[in-house]
Amino acid sequence: AGAVIFFYAFLLSVQLFTGRQQTAAMTAASMALNVAEVLGSTLGAWIYDSYGQRAVFWALMVASVINQAVLVGVILMVRGDGTFKPPSPTHAVALTRENMAEGCQRLRKVLQSRRMACSVILIITAAAVKASVEEVLPFHADHRWGLQPLEIGHLFAVIAVAYIGSAVAAGRIWEQLKETRVLFGAVWLAFLGFATWGVFLTATFWKSRGVLLAWLIFYGIGFGLADTPAAL
């Protein structure tokens, strides 16, 4: 479900906006999709620390119901021709048959694009690093640092703030990068790997909370400057 939402959020940004507005819309979509996962950990830690384990599941249930209601509302509002009156079934079928060949040709062209392949590789690599860190970081913070759930949630909040700032910066300078866009994303992807290494190695050499937070900030910056340009 997340992959489908991720794809269509960017697709809508491309279709509905142009120029700088398109860059801003895609940056906002990238921030919303990625930051929501990180801030969810912070919110979950706060609920667990304040109201107990049972409240976490109740909160998830309420959020799920609200999410489904919003999705149903969006489905009822969206129309294929941009109006509030849906097209007739016969017109929709004729339109689909008429544009089928053109649509397949455009899709084939997109899939054969070298820039698309580079972007997908960057996104997959950054997402794999992000998923690994999000899964391991709570256990690492608990066993190596002895942090409580709410303190672990604060670590994710630090990542989220660093990611937001770097993603906004990437969107602002995107138009000036031009031919160096892929190289820019690749360099920050390498920095992301280095920052991830620093996050988990800190406890071995420096038992300092400030050093850990600094590495988490570097990690958030690296992820924002690697993932956002790849999506753009």
Side-chain angles (χ1 to χ4, degrees):
V4 175
I5 294 175
F6 188 90
F7 173 77
Y8 279 104
F10 284 110
L11 181 62
L12 286 175
S13 300
V14 172
Q15 293 294 324
L16 297 178
F17 302 95
T18 58
R20 289 186 175 273
Q21 286 187 339
Q22 184 182 97
T23 301
M26 296 183 70
T27 302
S30 176
M31 289 168 50
L33 292 170
N34 289 290
V35 172
E37 300 178 9
V38 181
L39 287 182
S41 301
T42 305
L43 179 60
W46 176 78
I47 294 175
Y48 177 85
D49 186 75
S50 301
Y51 303 102
Q53 182 178 1
R54 189 181 297 271
V56 176
F57 294 95
W58 281 105
L60 289 174
M61 184 194 70
V62 173
S64 178
V65 171
I66 295 175
N67 184 45
Q68 297 303 319
V70 172
L71 288 176
V72 170
V74 171
I75 292 174
L76 295 177
M77 292 173 60
V78 172
R79 296 292 183 265
D81 58 354
T83 65
F84 290 100
K85 183 179 180 180
S88 62
T90 56
H91 175 69
V93 172
L95 187 62
T96 301
R97 290 175 178 175
E98 180 181 351
N99 295 333
M100 181 68 71
E102 181 183 356
C104 292
Q105 184 177 0
R106 291 174 60 186
L107 178 61
R108 190 181 302 110
K109 183 178 179 180
V110 170
L111 295 177
Q112 293 175 349
S113 171
R114 294 183 61 184
R115 179 172 296 182
M116 171 66 73
C118 292
S119 299
V120 170
I121 292 173
L122 289 173
I123 291 175
I124 290 176
T125 307
V129 174
K130 174 177 176 288
S132 301
V133 171
E134 288 182 356
E135 292 296 329
V136 177
L137 183 58
F139 298 101
H140 175 76
D142 180 25
H143 296 295
R144 298 298 300 272
W145 292 88
L147 300 183
Q148 299 300 315
L150 187 58
E151 293 175 314
I152 297 175
H154 292 162
L155 301 183
F156 283 97
V158 170
I159 296 174
V161 172
Y163 176 85
I164 291 173
S166 60
V168 171
R172 298 277 295 186
I173 66 174
W174 181 247
E175 297 297 331
Q176 286 74 35
L177 294 176
K178 296 183 179 180
E179 299 299 327
T180 61
R181 291 172 177 174
V182 175
L183 178 62
F184 179 86
V187 169
W188 283 105
L189 181 61
F191 179 84
L192 174 64
F194 176 73
T196 304
W197 173 78
V199 167
F200 294 107
L201 198 64
T202 298
T204 304
F205 298 99
W206 301 283
K207 209 67 174 181
S208 170
R209 188 81 60 88
V211 176
L212 175 63
L213 293 178
W215 278 115
L216 289 173
I217 292 173
F218 293 150
Y219 167 80
I221 293 174
F223 183 69
L225 293 177
D227 181 77
T228 306
L232 292 174

